[in-house]
Amino acid sequence: MLAPLEAILLVGGQGTRLRPLTLFTPKPLLPTAGVPFLAHQLARASAFGVRRIVFATSYKASMFADAFGDGSAFGLEIEYVCEDTPLGTGGAIRNAARALTCPPDAPVLVLNGDILSGHDITAQVDMHLSGDAAVTLHLTEVEDAAAFGCVPIDEDGRVLAFLEKTPNPVTNRINAGCYVFRRSVIDSIPPDQVVSVERETFPTLIDSGDRVLGFADSTYWLDVGTPAAYVQGSCDLVRGILPSPALPGPPGESLLLPGATVSPEAKITGGTVIGSHATIGAGALIRASVIADEATIAPGVTIMNSVIGPGATIAQGTILRDTVIGATATIGPNNELTSGARIWPGVALPEASIRFSSDA
């Protein structure tokens, strides 16, 4: 366990890649394995010795305090700092730092509110302290690093460069979005300005000879910024692939929240969540999906790798694959939606109005 540690949690983004799910709810508050996404991060942070977290908010800022209050349910003290205008990652960290209480030489953990990670935060902080680093970055390996910040390191873990989203990455090791800063380094970021730690702060530190270290590991890691990744993250948590102390039930093929009604003839697998007071009809086949509160799924419906929003209704004969259905939408009988289709909240789709095959 670490000594009591302060953290900054970046939760200001609008989550545009997840629309329509984020039209009314910030991405970090989307229901994920039965609880708001951030509940998993907060529970893990608390388990690793974090005792105080400053939320760097912007989009729908008041909803975070409504969800988590003072943090006592997680053994945390939570402060909320709002950006009036977006300040970038560095600007957001600098803005939130005014609520920190630790001294200039103390480590400060910085977390991104859209990352699921199983890495050892204690080991990352230990590396930071023993290496007397300005910043220590969590690094993970991916198959294609072109869409991420590519971070080559030497044999001692020292970061050699920070190459943000380069088309020809020199390594498949990327920035995983969890940092340990020396508090004084955060204070050196210009206040009230748009600053990117990825494009400005980290390269500047490296060029000036400051010690920037990379904590590289190969544990579970997922950026949940797209609908497919969001569904995968929820399912992985339900199945226990990434253990979470916030999971409101035992790991398994499905998670049924209080008040859910599921026919014994329905088949629910793949880490699917069935929301509170949702209804699932006989013969429904639901695999690896998120079914929100008060949704109604008719008998015989097939749903795979999809999200069904709160209060949505899916009629008989419908097939949904890789689809997002917004809150209170109604999908009429015998529709077939697939390949990333998204239905906005409140939309009513008539019977058999969209098909991806001819076997209606």
Side-chain angles (χ1 to χ4, degrees):
M1 292 286 285
L2 294 171
L5 180 68
E6 285 192 284
I8 292 172
L9 183 55
L10 300 175
V11 291
Q14 295 190 19
T16 53
R17 291 182 297 163
L18 277 168
R19 287 179 181 168
L21 301 175
T22 51
L23 290 174
F24 308 115
T25 303
K27 175 170 56 175
L29 296 182
L30 289 174
T32 309
V35 294
F37 177 82
L38 283 186
H40 301 288
Q41 279 198 339
L42 295 177
R44 285 195 82 249
S46 180
F48 278 108
V50 175
R51 290 295 171 260
R52 191 166 184 276
I53 296 185
V54 181
F55 278 44
T57 66
S58 180
Y59 178 64
K60 298 189 180 297
S62 64
M63 294 183 69
F64 292 95
D66 292 341
F68 301 115
D70 63 2
S72 57
F74 297 90
L76 297 166
E77 177 187 343
I78 296 179
E79 292 279 340
Y80 302 91
V81 176
C82 184
E83 299 169 46
D84 295 328
T85 58
L87 295 171
T89 50
I93 293 168
R94 178 66 175 86
N95 188 58
R98 55 195 171 108
L100 295 174
T101 62
C102 59
D105 61 345
V108 176
L109 184 69
V110 176
L111 301 163
N112 273 278
D114 55 4
I115 299 295
L116 281 176
S117 175
H119 83 286
D120 187 336
I121 292 173
T122 299
Q124 183 182 357
V125 176
D126 285 347
M127 180 184 193
H128 175 83
L129 293 173
S130 63
D132 191 28
V135 184
T136 301
L137 296 83
H138 175 215
L139 307 179
T140 192
E141 295 183 0
V142 296
E143 288 187 12
D144 181 8
F148 300 93
C150 171
V151 187
I153 57 175
D154 66 17
E155 62 275 9
D156 297 319
R158 189 158 185 166
V159 174
L160 302 175
F162 197 96
L163 309 171
E164 179 68 358
K165 296 180 181 176
T166 175
N168 298 301
V170 297
T171 175
N172 66 340
R173 192 172 283 133
I174 66 161
N175 168 29
C178 176
Y179 318 125
V180 182
F181 276 82
R182 188 187 300 135
R183 165 69 191 272
S184 59
V185 174
I186 295 177
D187 292 338
S188 71
I189 297 173
D192 304 316
Q193 294 183 29
V194 177
V195 179
S196 165
V197 291
E198 298 86 357
R199 297 184 183 279
E200 298 172 70
T201 306
F202 296 153
T204 297
L205 288 169
I206 294 165
D207 291 346
S208 64
D210 287 283
R211 284 184 65 80
V212 177
L213 299 181
F215 176 77
D217 80 345
S218 56
T219 56
Y220 183 99
W221 182 87
L222 184 67
D223 176 346
V224 298
T226 66
Y230 164 63
V231 170
Q232 180 188 337
S234 182
C235 293
D236 287 349
L237 288 160
V238 170
R239 295 170 65 201
I241 293 172
L242 176 63
S244 171
L247 185 69
E253 285 297 295
S254 62
L255 173 66
L256 275 57
L257 298 184
T261 301
V262 178
S263 167
E265 285 79 40
K267 187 174 183 180
I268 315 295
T269 62
T272 293
V273 175
I274 306 297
S276 178
H277 301 290
T279 301
I280 312 298
L285 172 61
I286 305 178
R287 187 175 71 204
S289 295
V290 178
I291 312 299
D293 297 349
E294 301 183 353
T296 300
I297 311 301
V301 166
T302 296
I303 300 174
M304 297 183 180
N305 306 103
S306 296
V307 183
I308 310 302
T313 299
I314 313 298
Q316 278 186 288
T318 293
I319 298 171
L320 304 175
R321 294 188 181 93
D322 305 302
T323 297
V324 176
I325 306 299
T328 70
T330 299
I331 307 301
N334 300 316
N335 279 286
E336 182 187 13
L337 303 174
T338 186
S339 305
R342 306 185 192 206
I343 303 297
W344 251 237
V347 168
L349 206 59
E351 179 175 1
S353 57
I354 297 179
R355 301 286 303 176
F356 279 75
S357 60
S358 60
D359 55 346

